[in-house]
Amino acid sequence: MSTLLQQYFLDSLSQDAKAPAVHDGPRTYSYGELDEIVEHLMSALTRHGLKAEDRLVMWTEKSAVTVALMQAALRLGIIYVPVAPSNPISRVKQVIELARASFVVTDGPIGFATRLGSSTLDLLLASEQDVVPLAPTISPDDPAYILFTSGSTGVPKGVTISHTNARAFVDWAVVEAGVGSDDRLSSHAQFSFDLSVFDLYGAFAVGAAVDLIPSSAANNGTALAAFIRERQITVWYSVPSALMLMIDHGGLFIARAPDDLRVMIFAGEPFPLGRAKALLETWAGVRLMNWYGPTETNVCTGYELSASDLTRNTPIPIGYPASGANVTLRPGPDEGEIVVNGPSVMVGYWGQAPQDGAYATGDFGRIGVAGEIEYVGRSDGLVKIRGYRVEVGDIEAVLGLHEAIQDVAVLAVGEGTDRSLTAVVVPKGGRRVSLLGLKSHTATHLPTYMIVDRLHIVETLPRTPNGKVDRTHLAHAIGKELE
């Protein structure tokens, strides 16, 4: 049996080519229809000279054709690199350079000069199809895709995931959530976000269908709540922020649970206990799961909520080892940094030395009374905002380029949907700094979710004895002023 990521789709195709594979707005594509697009794209990519191990940057909106492009790349041994459409051109250029990409596919004109080959999805589909190329020999340990995440130096890091890494997670997740061929999975996350891996490949692993949520609705609580009910979603997976948007603005608790929904999974950031209890109590018939894991490890722990959590007064646990992972605490044994080893741990950062052994997450955890792992917090400047992993140093590096800024620190303030990015700025030579100006400046360099929400002007930044910004002191001071 093949252990390649594309085999999920191929196996389901052979079992029932007429079964729905992807719901894309009003259009539904069967496994057979999607496969025809995959083969057409394989022919087009080969005609453009792409071959195994080349990197293909995909700067596109979510669509069934984009899903087909991923499958085409996998079958040809091409490493795909999804980039969210919200990324500015400067960020896309950075990813292209770091990935040493061979080709770029967009929804529309590339919009900037590049020495690389490039095309739009429409042009690829309109091209004349040659004979479908034969699939090359691919090892399960070869890279399947690269997900670029925020980096502490201002340079994004390319997390390289092999077929083995991805399948270790998907195989576990499908069993854990009990996904079957009759299910309809939501696809809330952008394809550049690791949550999307379960949405797509979890569905394909069992011959189920995935329903793509358009970017325009991703942050609209009313639209998301309606989507679950109207599209008859049975398995939902998103960051807690999306759930809280539905609770606060979509009337999620006004009516009973959607008739078809049976599993709701959240990951990517802590879920406030009060909200989780309300969900658990209101939707007693829906399984609620909390999954944890940085992009570098896929999901490495999981926890399913139960009635006993209604009396809990501590944060929801991240649970027990998942995806075949060995999870330990260092120095431990009962508290320390979360360290992960096993088949789901990444190949390494693209362009850097391969990952050697266990991956230290930078997250701290402790062992609860039932032996489950509880998340304590971060050890560095890495924060979760709107469900995305963000290095504040990445934002600070960009803000430091602003001509009116002498010194800057970025803090994540608040909780849940109220969590925001605050830029604490020391102006240069008494120059004026405005929030609108900072938003405009960061928008040309960073994804939308990394644009600062608030501005706080100070004369100097507090520092620790070793010269680093005293973030604890600063956060306390800013928090007091915002109260």
Side-chain angles (χ1 to χ4, degrees):
M1 178 181 175
S2 172
T3 54
L4 300 178
L5 192 54
Q6 63 268 29
Q7 197 63 41
Y8 288 136
F9 182 90
L10 291 169
D11 287 346
S12 292
L13 171 69
S14 66
Q15 291 172 13
D16 188 356
K18 294 182 179 180
V22 178
H23 299 289
D24 185 0
R27 175 77 188 274
T28 295
Y29 295 80
S30 69
Y31 277 88
E33 290 170 329
L34 199 65
D35 185 60
E36 290 180 3
I37 300 175
V38 172
E39 291 190 343
H40 193 114
L41 293 174
M42 289 174 67
S43 174
L45 292 176
T46 301
R47 189 183 306 110
H48 280 288
L50 274 80
K51 58 187 184 304
E53 299 184 4
D54 283 346
R55 271 76 62 203
L56 170 66
V57 169
M58 300 164 37
W59 187 28
T60 60
E61 290 282 355
K62 279 199 294 187
S63 69
V65 178
T66 299
V67 174
L69 184 60
M70 292 178 180
Q71 289 294 313
L74 289 172
R75 292 190 202 178
L76 293 172
I78 297 167
I79 305 167
Y80 70 80
V81 186
V83 179
S86 61
N87 279 273
I89 288 175
S90 60
R91 188 75 165 192
V92 180
K93 284 183 175 179
Q94 200 173 26
V95 169
I96 289 171
E97 182 178 349
L98 291 169
R100 298 193 293 277
S102 302
F103 203 78
V104 182
V105 176
T106 69
D107 288 318
I110 193 71
F112 58 87
T114 175
R115 291 173 295 176
L116 302 178
S118 63
S119 180
T120 66
L121 284 171
D122 287 343
L123 284 175
L124 288 179
L125 289 174
S127 63
E128 185 177 345
Q129 182 171 335
D130 297 328
V131 176
V132 179
L134 296 175
T137 300
I138 304 168
S139 166
D141 294 326
D142 287 340
Y145 55 85
I146 303 172
L147 301 179
F148 275 86
T149 65
S150 178
S152 58
T153 62
V155 178
K157 297 183 293 187
V159 178
T160 308
I161 301 295
S162 71
H163 295 262
T164 295
N165 296 153
R167 286 193 58 126
F169 159 55
V170 174
D171 287 346
W172 169 85
V174 165
V175 173
E176 185 70 11
V179 184
S181 59
D182 293 332
D183 275 314
R184 186 162 176 157
L185 285 70
S186 64
S187 172
H188 178 265
Q190 290 289 345
F191 293 155
S192 56
F193 194 16
D194 56 348
L195 269 68
S196 67
V197 174
F198 170 72
D199 304 336
L200 295 176
Y201 298 106
F204 295 160
V206 296
V210 59
D211 203 324
L212 307 180
I213 299 173
S215 300
S216 59
N219 295 311
N220 184 319
T222 302
L224 292 177
F227 187 92
I228 291 180
R229 298 180 188 279
E230 294 170 4
R231 307 292 287 196
Q232 298 179 308
I233 299 299
T234 62
V235 181
W236 175 274
Y237 187 32
S238 75
V239 294
S241 294
L243 300 182
M244 287 184 278
L245 281 172
M246 290 188 282
I247 293 171
D248 294 337
H249 306 291
L252 198 64
F253 289 157
I254 293 176
R256 68 182 190 279
D259 293 336
D260 301 283
L261 186 68
R262 60 177 193 78
V263 182
M264 178 167 276
I265 309 163
F266 44 90
E269 60 188 350
F271 196 175
L273 180 62
R275 301 297 188 94
K277 283 184 176 181
L279 197 60
L280 183 64
E281 198 165 33
T282 306
W283 289 2
V286 178
R287 296 176 65 193
L288 301 179
M289 299 180 177
N290 183 26
W291 290 356
Y292 160 84
T295 306
E296 289 86 347
T297 70
N298 288 282
V299 169
C300 57
T301 69
Y303 180 80
E304 182 167 355
L305 281 72
S306 66
S308 63
D309 290 300
L310 290 172
T311 59
R312 175 180 295 279
N313 56 13
T314 56
I316 301 168
I318 57 175
Y320 304 92
S323 308
N326 178 31
V327 182
T328 57
L329 303 180
R330 189 169 60 193
D334 297 323
E335 186 166 340
E337 183 178 13
I338 300 171
V339 178
V340 184
N341 204 353
S344 68
V345 176
M346 66 172 179
V347 172
Y349 295 115
W350 183 258
Q352 299 182 29
Q355 176 67 24
D356 184 14
Y359 177 77
T361 65
D363 290 330
F364 275 71
R366 59 173 171 256
I367 302 299
V369 294
E372 75 282 14
I373 301 173
E374 298 177 347
Y375 177 82
V376 176
R378 287 294 304 171
S379 63
D380 51 23
L382 191 66
V383 300
K384 287 294 180 71
I385 187 78
R386 294 179 272 273
Y388 290 90
R389 187 182 76 169
V390 173
E391 286 272 11
V392 294
D394 200 351
I395 307 173
E396 290 168 352
V398 168
L399 291 177
L401 300 174
H402 194 287
E403 60 183 10
I405 293 178
Q406 176 178 309
D407 209 353
V408 60
V410 174
L411 303 174
V413 179
E415 298 293 335
T417 54
D418 294 324
R419 193 165 174 80
S420 60
L421 291 169
T422 298
V424 185
V425 170
V426 178
K428 185 182 296 181
R431 300 181 67 172
R432 182 175 180 275
V433 179
S434 70
L435 177 59
L436 182 60
L438 293 192
K439 284 179 174 289
S440 177
H441 177 75
T442 52
T444 62
H445 299 282
L446 298 170
T448 306
Y449 63 85
M450 293 173 69
I451 295 175
V452 294
D453 304 290
R454 294 173 177 166
L455 169 65
H456 194 83
I457 304 294
V458 296
E459 293 184 358
T460 184
L461 295 178
R463 297 192 177 270
T464 63
N466 63 7
K468 294 184 177 181
V469 174
D470 189 339
R471 295 180 183 276
T472 301
H473 177 83
L474 188 60
H476 179 74
I478 298 301
K480 284 289 186 182
E481 293 191 27
L482 292 176
E483 289 179 354

